[in-house]
Amino acid sequence: MVKRELAPLAAHDLTDQQAAHIRRTILGRARSKVKNPYRYVQRALRANPGEHLPKFEPMPDAHRGVGRMCPHHPFMAEPCRACAADRLAAD
């Protein structure tokens, strides 16, 4: 049910482990014993789905471009001037 509720909003498919973790997290926040856990989790997901979506974290050495990314400044599409000069000097 967790996977079904969050699938339209998630950037990637949720794994069974992620769905179980989300369910445990929601149930762990309950202030008292939950009579109907399925309904409780469903309401929490529908009330605020963005809070429970897993955060996408890129690989540390992954780049958006192909080979021309700045190795010290991954947010830049091209190497910065200092890094480009260092690269030219090394060649």
Side-chain angles (χ1 to χ4, degrees):
M1 183 268 302
V2 173
K3 292 167 73 172
R4 184 178 62 243
E5 289 290 328
L6 295 178
L9 304 172
H12 303 286
D13 292 337
L14 293 171
T15 64
D16 292 337
Q17 292 82 14
Q18 288 172 322
H21 176 72
I22 292 168
R23 180 183 50 81
R24 281 192 305 271
T25 301
I26 292 171
L27 290 174
R29 292 180 185 170
R31 294 183 180 164
S32 62
K33 184 168 171 39
V34 177
K35 292 180 183 178
N36 187 346
Y38 180 90
R39 189 79 173 132
Y40 184 83
V41 171
Q42 187 179 42
R43 282 187 180 175
L45 291 173
R46 288 183 179 174
N48 193 0
E51 177 185 349
H52 305 291
L53 285 172
K55 308 295 183 253
F56 174 71
E57 296 182 18
M59 302 283 285
D61 53 341
H63 298 298
R64 291 184 296 161
V66 181
R68 293 190 51 90
M69 297 294 291
C70 181
H72 301 288
H73 310 101
F75 55 87
M76 297 182 73
E78 296 287 324
C80 64
R81 287 184 172 194
C83 293
D86 290 344
R87 185 181 290 174
L88 287 174
D91 291 342

